[in-house]
Amino acid sequence: ALRTRLSSVARGELPSAVGASGEIARTFERLVRETKSRSLVELLPDLRGVSTSRPGRFGLDVEQRVGLLEWLAGGEGGLAESDGVVCADGLEGLPVWDIPWVVDSLFARARRFVFAAVRCQDPPRRRLLHPPAGTAFTAGWWRSHFEAAAVRHPQVRWTLLTTRGRDFAHDGHHLVAGGPRPDATPPR
């Protein structure tokens, strides 16, 4: 049913959501280089479209940009798995009940790393003698979903960049990472 509805939506140009500079670009480049990735899929909030760059940025052989909903529906043109999966925009717009399986599908289609950047809501204020309410879409909530997916996919390194505003540069951000280390040195 979803594929039928997607076929009626026009395809877009799909420019990258990862700019040439800024925290998202620096983190993205570091992950690509540390994991020695050669291929990448970047998911965009657009409904449809596939765009391929050969060679890609940061030393990648292939960089594909795919509409998020089309990718989840399986209409990404046969691309099953790549070294890295990047979603720098659009996850926070999905319904709360879809987040667990969407995050798990990011991990399932990545061989080496997953990178996501999400805009979070402020944590709710605690009321006297009442438990906190409305904790969905906070930074801790997102982290718990990435940690749960990482347990099912231990070979995949992941990085989650969160901010409490609309802009990662001006509103402050928080970076959380997990998964296997890029080399055999023990942590300090």
Side-chain angles (χ1 to χ4, degrees):
L2 179 60
R3 289 184 191 183
T4 306
R5 286 186 277 163
L6 278 175
S7 64
S8 65
V9 177
R11 289 187 175 267
E13 287 291 315
L14 297 181
S16 177
V18 178
S21 64
E23 187 63 32
I24 292 177
R26 282 190 299 274
T27 306
F28 170 57
E29 180 179 12
R30 182 177 44 80
L31 267 173
V32 168
R33 294 193 191 287
E34 286 178 356
T35 60
K36 298 177 175 80
S37 297
R38 307 307 306 160
S39 62
L40 171 89
V41 173
E42 181 182 358
L43 303 175
L44 299 168
D46 297 354
L47 294 176
R48 292 201 70 206
V50 175
S51 172
T52 302
S53 299
R54 291 177 192 263
R57 298 170 288 175
F58 313 123
L60 292 166
D61 292 339
V62 177
E63 183 177 350
Q64 281 199 314
R65 286 177 287 287
V66 180
L68 178 62
L69 294 180
E70 185 169 14
W71 186 72
L72 292 171
E76 71 278 353
L79 183 67
E81 197 176 88
S82 66
D83 288 342
V85 176
V86 172
C87 189
D89 193 13
L91 281 180
E92 61 273 5
L94 295 174
V96 67
W97 52 83
D98 286 338
I99 298 300
W101 72 265
V102 169
V103 170
D104 193 61
S105 72
L106 299 178
F107 279 78
R109 295 185 189 183
R111 283 189 292 265
R112 298 186 181 188
F113 77 91
V114 170
F115 172 74
V118 293
R119 288 149 188 88
C120 300
Q121 298 175 0
D122 285 329
R125 292 177 47 141
R126 185 157 183 119
R127 300 175 312 200
L128 185 64
L129 301 175
H130 292 285
T135 55
F137 294 109
T138 61
W141 183 84
W142 282 104
R143 180 180 180 161
S144 68
H145 286 289
F146 275 75
E147 288 172 344
V151 168
R152 292 184 290 278
H153 305 277
Q155 78 285 1
V156 177
R157 215 169 147 201
W158 60 274
T159 300
L160 175 64
L161 182 67
T162 58
T163 185
R164 289 192 180 162
R166 297 297 307 154
D167 188 2
F168 286 91
H170 297 100
D171 295 328
H173 58 272
H174 183 70
L175 192 65
V176 181
R181 294 184 51 77
D183 55 18
T185 60
R188 296 181 188 197

